[in-house]
Amino acid sequence: MAAVIMDGKATAAAVRAEVAQDVQALREKGIVPGLAVIIVGDDPASRIYVNNKRKACAQTGIYSEEFSLPADTSQDELLALVASLNGRSDINGILCQLPLPAPLQAKPVIAAISPMKDVDAFHSSNVGQIMLGDYSFLPCTPAGVMELLHRYHIPVEGRRCVVVGRSNIVGKPMAMLLLHENGTVTICHSRTKDLAAICREADILVAAVGKPKFITADMVKPGAVVIDVGMDRDEDGNLCGDVDTQAVAAVASAITPVPGGVGPMTRAILMRNTLTAAKMQFK
Ligand code: GUN
């Protein structure tokens, strides 16, 4: 039986509709949630991501302000911008698009964002809260994956979950969220031995490695759920994910496409986090 193709676009639209309703209710009380998005330099992929975030704000009634800075912006200028946004009451969320162009450092920027406005959940204080299972914000991509699993009624409890990739943005927090829902979680990475064999044990396999079509059909247990977090380019320059979707769909029970899978979910959760930030700040 062919795999169910999990529709991230439609699911994200449903999440956004819920957020939009809450935003409207806040607006009726005179509160307009606001998101500031900082982009430095002219990386084309980052430009697309930032444009999509602005669109998601418009769709949910969230005020958005973009700060597009030249690649030669200094670390101090960037930190000064963050400080000014921390002080603005009309800005509830602050997101600095990563990666930053060299030699700019992301770490001090993340540390400078007020944890109350850290809608990416990258600040060490929010990361710590996630470890404790006691959080205000969840990181957008892992939370988007969980939302997709929930809305497709895919249980996590007691199941073997394998996360391929250990980034701070996706792999590590993804493993933590699956653990919070009582999955038995393994994290694989570039130094993992027998990676294919471990992947084949997964009931839920999350690919977040950033390598085009890295997960092949022989690495997937028949009936597994396969979540593709990748946004890669194949040898012809076409957009693809970390999973060889066509081949894996013949083995898996459910799979997310690229595009139209995890990406829209990430942005929908960013909107939800901005709404949460606004509610927290106006309490
Ligand atoms: N670059 C790739 N993904 C993300 C993300 O979720 N947040 C930010 N700020 N930058 C990114």
Side-chain angles (χ1 to χ4, degrees):
M1 210 176 77
V4 170
I5 307 295
M6 299 168 81
D7 189 343
K9 243 173 123 170
T11 311
V15 174
R16 283 200 311 271
E18 292 168 12
V19 171
Q21 244 182 4
D22 273 24
V23 169
Q24 185 53 34
L26 280 184
R27 279 178 170 261
E28 280 160 18
K29 293 186 205 161
I31 298 164
V32 182
L35 175 67
V37 177
I38 304 169
I39 174 170
V40 187
D42 48 15
D43 177 64
S46 289
R47 173 41 62 198
I48 293 169
Y49 295 150
V50 166
N51 289 350
N52 284 336
K53 285 166 184 170
R54 197 173 47 210
K55 262 185 237 163
C57 285
Q59 285 165 332
T60 46
I62 290 173
Y63 168 72
S64 71
E65 202 167 313
E66 185 182 308
F67 297 85
S68 186
L69 307 179
D72 64 357
T73 299
S74 72
Q75 191 82 44
D76 284 347
E77 284 169 324
L78 189 51
L79 291 174
L81 171 60
V82 170
S84 78
L85 294 170
N86 280 340
R88 274 177 59 177
S89 60
D90 61 332
I91 293 296
N92 308 111
I94 303 170
L95 178 148
C96 179
Q97 187 66 30
L98 303 179
L100 289 169
L104 289 173
Q105 298 291 317
K107 253 188 188 175
V109 179
I110 291 168
I113 294 172
S114 161
M116 298 265 288
K117 297 191 176 186
D118 172 37
V119 285
D120 265 326
F122 289 170
H123 191 284
S124 60
S125 140
N126 286 319
V127 173
Q129 282 198 297
I130 290 156
M131 284 290 284
L132 298 172
D134 175 24
Y135 37 73
S136 317
F137 303 117
L138 288 176
C140 300
T141 299
V145 171
M146 296 312 291
E147 196 69 46
L148 206 50
L149 294 175
H150 296 157
R151 291 185 190 229
Y152 274 84
H153 308 291
I154 293 166
V156 173
E157 180 154 329
R159 300 182 89 194
R160 291 296 303 268
C161 307
V162 174
V163 178
V164 189
R166 55 174 158 181
S167 69
N168 290 330
I169 294 185
V170 182
K172 282 191 225 171
M174 185 75 250
M176 207 49 58
L177 300 195
L178 290 164
L179 179 63
H180 288 161
E181 298 201 7
N182 302 312
T184 300
V185 186
T186 303
I187 304 179
C188 294
H189 47 78
S190 53
R191 309 285 172 87
T192 296
K193 292 200 171 74
D194 300 325
L195 184 123
I198 296 170
C199 289
R200 269 196 301 275
E201 291 178 3
D203 300 309
I204 298 172
L205 179 61
V206 181
V209 271
K211 291 183 186 161
K213 302 183 186 177
F214 181 77
I215 303 290
T216 47
D218 59 300
M219 297 164 80
V220 176
K221 177 162 86 176
V225 173
V226 180
I227 305 290
D228 190 348
V229 180
M231 275 291 228
D232 314 312
R233 298 269 165 191
D234 67 14
E235 58 280 4
D236 300 322
N238 297 316
L239 187 65
C240 71
D242 289 351
V243 178
D244 182 353
T245 312
Q246 209 178 359
V248 170
V251 180
S253 63
I255 189 166
T256 62
V258 176
V262 173
M265 294 303 296
T266 296
R267 295 191 291 278
I269 302 298
L270 174 65
M271 299 302 105
R272 197 161 77 185
N273 281 353
T274 305
L275 169 68
T276 301
K279 285 179 179 171
M280 274 166 29
Q281 287 157 48
F282 283 101
K283 219 166 219 169

